[in-house]
Amino acid sequence: MRSASIARNLIRILGGTTTLRSLAEIQRIRSYQDARLQAGIAPKTVNNEIQGLAGILQLAGLWQRVNGYSPLRVAKSDLPDALTQEESTRLLTVASRSEPYAVAPYAAVLAFSTGLRKGEIKGLRLADLHQQELRPYIQVRRATTKTDAGARRVVLDTIAVWAVQKLVTRANLLGCVSPEHYLLPTDRARHTRKSDALHGGCGYDPLHAQSSWESEWHRF
């Protein structure tokens, strides 16, 4: 999914009919960097996109023609890695006041309490959830995590169980009731590209996972 997103951005800005040879110039690379920065895209993301383009040009034997390229400087965050006690309390307080159909607040609490990555949460199916057990846990499947070691059983504390229950209740209301259904089903209305298999549908699809909650996350 990440590679597909990078490819779409490259095509949108550089043009789908542009030849690779014409892109193997430092001026085109810098122009792309400037366009993305002006659009408010983070330097780290721009670097990743250029890395994708570099891989394509390398396969075509053209990257060596790009002289003088250097990645954008990525500022190190001033924020500490862990939340303070006050920040943790505020996170939980705001999440507790969220709407029943919300995703980002409860997903944030689940990540905060368990250390689960965003991709791991998006890939959860109802069969992976065991919040009703004497010792509640989530089973992270290999297909949803980055490494073999990522496939694991994640124990749930009281806070995590609360977040899971909120998301399960939402999922049930959206028609997700079978073990193979996703905890976070995709909204068919958001699939606007005509080439998308889900284009033109309505409602939620329990067999396809939600791909992003970025806008809701920013509001939260």
Side-chain angles (χ1 to χ4, degrees):
M1 182 63 70
R2 182 181 176 184
S3 298
S5 177
I6 289 176
R8 285 195 297 269
N9 287 326
L10 291 171
I11 292 171
R12 178 170 54 83
I13 295 173
L14 298 173
T17 60
T18 304
T19 65
L20 291 179
R21 186 173 296 275
S22 69
L23 296 179
E25 298 177 357
I26 188 60
Q27 292 85 356
R28 295 297 301 271
I29 303 298
R30 288 173 177 164
S31 176
Y32 183 90
Q33 290 174 319
D34 292 341
R36 296 298 276 156
L37 290 175
Q38 290 174 10
I41 306 303
K44 184 176 186 299
T45 299
V46 179
N47 289 341
N48 289 338
E49 293 173 352
I50 295 297
Q51 185 177 4
L53 175 60
I56 296 171
L57 294 176
Q58 283 174 345
L59 288 174
L62 296 170
W63 179 248
Q64 66 272 17
R65 298 180 52 179
V66 181
N67 298 316
Y69 168 73
S70 59
L72 297 172
R73 181 175 297 178
V74 178
K76 190 173 182 179
S77 175
D78 294 326
L79 295 175
D81 291 335
L83 298 180
T84 65
Q85 183 62 47
E86 180 183 355
E87 290 167 337
S88 301
T89 300
R90 192 166 73 221
L91 169 70
L92 298 174
T93 300
V94 175
S96 69
R97 298 170 180 166
S98 299
E99 296 293 328
Y101 273 86
V103 171
Y106 306 124
V109 171
L110 183 58
F112 163 78
S113 186
T114 62
L116 286 171
R117 302 181 183 92
K118 180 172 68 172
E120 293 172 339
I121 294 175
K122 289 191 296 186
L124 289 173
R125 297 179 188 263
L126 297 186
D128 302 325
L129 310 176
H130 303 271
Q131 75 276 15
Q132 305 289 357
E133 302 287 339
L134 183 61
R135 294 190 176 93
Y137 69 94
I138 284 175
Q139 185 65 50
V140 179
R141 290 173 287 109
R142 177 64 183 88
T144 66
T145 190
K146 293 183 177 180
T147 64
D148 290 340
R152 65 202 186 279
R153 178 177 290 193
V154 178
V155 177
L156 304 179
D157 61 14
T158 303
I159 294 174
V161 169
W162 172 81
V164 169
Q165 293 284 30
K166 287 288 188 180
L167 293 173
V168 168
T169 298
R170 172 185 180 273
N172 293 161
L173 290 172
L174 296 178
C176 301
V177 294
S178 298
E180 71 274 15
H181 288 170
Y182 281 98
L183 175 65
L184 301 176
T186 190
D187 183 355
R188 294 187 181 95
R190 293 185 176 275
H191 294 258
T192 56
R193 288 184 293 112
K194 292 185 178 180
S195 58
D196 194 322
L198 299 178
H199 174 70
C202 60
Y204 287 80
D205 189 330
L207 296 177
H208 290 82
Q210 179 175 345
S211 62
S212 174
W213 55 73
E214 185 174 355
S215 58
E216 187 185 352
W217 167 256
H218 286 304
R219 291 196 301 273
F220 174 58

